[in-house]
Amino acid sequence: MLVIAAGMAAGAAAGQGTAPNLQQQAEAALTNGQPTQAIALAQSMLAGNPDSYAAFFLTALAQSELGQFQQSAQSAGQAFRVARSPDEKVQAARLAASARFRLQQFTRAEWWLRRAANNARTDEDFDNIGREFQNIRRNNPLSIWVNFSAAPSDNINNGSEDDFFQLEGLPFIFDLPPDQRALSGIEFAGDVQLSYRISQGPRQQTNLGAYIYGRTFALSDEAQDSVPDLSGSDFALTLIDLSVTHERLIFDQLGPSSAALNFGKSHYSGEPLWNYWKVTLGQGFTVDDSSTFSLFASFQDQAAQLESQRDTEISEITGRYATSLANDDQLQFALTGRLNDTSDAETTYEEYQANIDYTISQPVFGANWSFNLGLGHINYDEFTLSLDGRQDNYVSLGGTVTFPDISYFGFSPSLSITAKRTESDVSQFTSSQVQGRLGIQSNF
């Protein structure tokens, strides 16, 4: 299919200053199964026009027919360099990707397809590129995800919405320090996630992973005036995580079983915060042809690196149900229970959380839409500022819209809006937050 399309593209390039008869002879040689002769004729074309797209393209096709994929990739790259139209660039980039794929240089093949997508002008081309990209991704042992976002917020530090608090049972009102009140500003965040498949079989797969996350803030003028001795970087967080994950189909009647081990460390405000390790076990279940259920249990041990923190053990269990509706929209429910256990009873708490995610399958007003609703409860049996512990209830509502018609190298901009409200019986921890997030998202 690619060869036919490529031949058509080469034919369309006949008017680029090359001798038409040489090009026709080269195309005929390819059609008749004579790739060596086609290369010789293409070289004659280059002698007359060193920037002949058709000559480079025909050379790349012929080299591919001969199994010379390294040379084919290079010739296709030269064709891309001299291409004069988006269609020519699409065809050359797809041919280069095909050659890199045959060389098992999967990541380079993916990059060439992103260059093709950047020049695609029709839905058919873009869909074909997407299918080719997914095929390469399935074969590529290395997966890379890169994200960046900027998120204006009226409460970057999850601070209190009030300027004061009152101790239970006492008639006194205390002013809150400015850094514990809601501060507005912009969050800048980015992360890189790598996964490398080291083993794969019909019933199992093992991956090594690395994850790097960082965020910092720029305070608004109003927030900076209230905390002149602080800057946005004082709230900055970085995280590095290394993992090994194994999935195996143990029971034919069930979904995959999984086990993961993570090691990581985090920094806050430039200072070491936690070192941790985490183990997670999971089991999938097939409900029907369009629905699955997954159950995950994890244990995490966090070693505090600051005197102000406590060593912490986190136990968590999550159940997740996902289904595809009759209109192909995606619906997911998740329930999570978490125990955050420390040596200090006043920093030990239980948390229960429910989330609903809904993704619309078809574009609406030319954009892709998804929505999220979250509900949660946190309970402290003991708390310094209360005689009866502390109870927080929170609700969050958010939506994300992605604009696939605005695409650059297969990435499109996205806009997320999230609102969160926390009600606490200790007034200091009652807070509200509205955040808008601008980011990028891969279309493949």
Side-chain angles (χ1 to χ4, degrees), residues 272-306:
L273 182 62
W274 304 103
N275 289 339
Y276 68 87
W277 61 267
K278 179 180 180 180
V279 60
T280 304
L281 301 177
Q283 178 61 56
F285 303 87
T286 300
V287 179
D288 54 40
D289 291 341
S290 60
S291 305
T292 60
F293 177 75
S294 302
L295 188 64
F296 298 93
S298 67
F299 176 81
Q300 179 171 321
D301 185 280
Q302 294 184 166
Q305 303 300 296
L306 294 177

Side-chain angles (χ1 to χ4, degrees), residues 35 39 51-52 63 83 116 122 130 138 157 170 214 300 328 336 355 367 381 418 436 440-441:
I39 292 175
D51 290 331
S52 170
Q63 290 167 333
T122 67
R138 284 191 294 270
N157 60 331
L170 296 177
Q300 179 171 321
D328 292 330
T336 299
N355 280 286
D381 288 333
T418 304
I440 56 173
Q441 182 171 311

Side-chain angles (χ1 to χ4, degrees), residues 155-170:
N155 191 352
I156 64 172
N157 60 331
N158 199 31
S160 173
E161 66 180 15
D162 294 323
D163 296 338
F164 59 87
F165 71 95
Q166 185 174 6
L167 292 176
E168 185 178 354
L170 296 177

Side-chain angles (χ1 to χ4, degrees), residues 7-58:
M8 294 173 62
Q16 292 189 7
T18 63
N21 60 329
L22 284 177
Q23 181 175 331
Q24 292 169 3
Q25 292 176 43
E27 290 175 350
L30 267 179
T31 303
N32 295 327
Q34 298 174 314
T36 302
Q37 183 180 353
I39 292 175
L41 290 166
Q43 293 305 306
S44 297
M45 293 166 62
L46 287 172
N49 180 6
D51 290 331
S52 170
Y53 170 84
F56 282 126
F57 199 94
L58 289 166

Side-chain angles (χ1 to χ4, degrees), residues 116-335:
N118 203 43
N119 290 277
R121 293 297 181 268
T122 67
D123 292 340
E124 182 181 2
D125 275 346
F126 201 84
D127 291 342
N128 288 334
I129 292 167
R131 283 191 291 270
E132 291 167 10
F133 193 96
Q134 292 300 327
N135 180 55
I136 293 174
R137 173 172 285 175
R138 284 191 294 270
N139 287 275
N140 192 355
L142 176 64
S143 297
I144 304 173
W145 295 269
V146 179
N147 297 288
F148 173 79
S149 65
S153 172
D154 63 351
N155 191 352
I156 64 172
N157 60 331
N158 199 31
S160 173
E161 66 180 15
D162 294 323
D163 296 338
F164 59 87
F165 71 95
Q166 185 174 6
L167 292 176
E168 185 178 354
L170 296 177
F172 307 111
I173 293 178
F174 300 90
D175 289 332
L176 276 175
D179 62 336
Q180 294 184 28
R181 304 172 189 170
L183 300 175
S184 58
I186 302 176
E187 173 196 290
F188 299 96
D191 64 87
V192 178
Q193 183 175 350
L194 306 175
S195 178
Y196 189 81
R197 186 172 60 244
I198 60 174
S199 175
Q200 184 177 32
R203 301 176 67 89
Q204 63 84 27
Q205 179 173 296
T206 303
N207 295 298
L208 297 178
Y211 178 73
I212 302 173
Y213 171 81
R215 74 178 186 195
T216 189
F217 300 89
L219 296 176
S220 67
D221 292 341
E222 179 184 3
Q224 191 66 77
D225 290 341
S226 67
V227 286
D229 296 331
L230 297 178
S231 67
S233 61
D234 290 311
F235 303 96
L237 175 71
T238 58
L239 171 68
I240 299 175
D241 183 282
L242 302 176
S243 65
V244 56
T245 303
H246 180 74
E247 291 186 348
R248 180 175 292 271
L249 189 62
I250 301 175
F251 310 104
D252 290 332
Q253 65 274 27
L254 300 179
S257 305
S258 63
L261 182 62
N262 296 64
F263 297 92
K265 63 190 310 178
S266 61
H267 287 69
Y268 182 75
S269 188
E271 297 292 333
L273 182 62
W274 304 103
N275 289 339
Y276 68 87
W277 61 267
K278 179 180 180 180
V279 60
T280 304
L281 301 177
Q283 178 61 56
F285 303 87
T286 300
V287 179
D288 54 40
D289 291 341
S290 60
S291 305
T292 60
F293 177 75
S294 302
L295 188 64
F296 298 93
S298 67
F299 176 81
Q300 179 171 321
D301 185 280
Q302 294 184 166
Q305 303 300 296
L306 294 177
E307 293 184 1
S308 60
Q309 302 296 318
R310 299 287 185 271
D311 292 346
T312 305
E313 295 178 348
I314 303 173
S315 302
E316 184 175 289
I317 185 167
T318 297
R320 185 177 297 121
Y321 174 78
T323 186
S324 179
L325 304 180
N327 60 358
D328 292 330
D329 289 0
Q330 303 295 312
L331 180 63
Q332 181 174 281
F333 299 91
L335 294 174

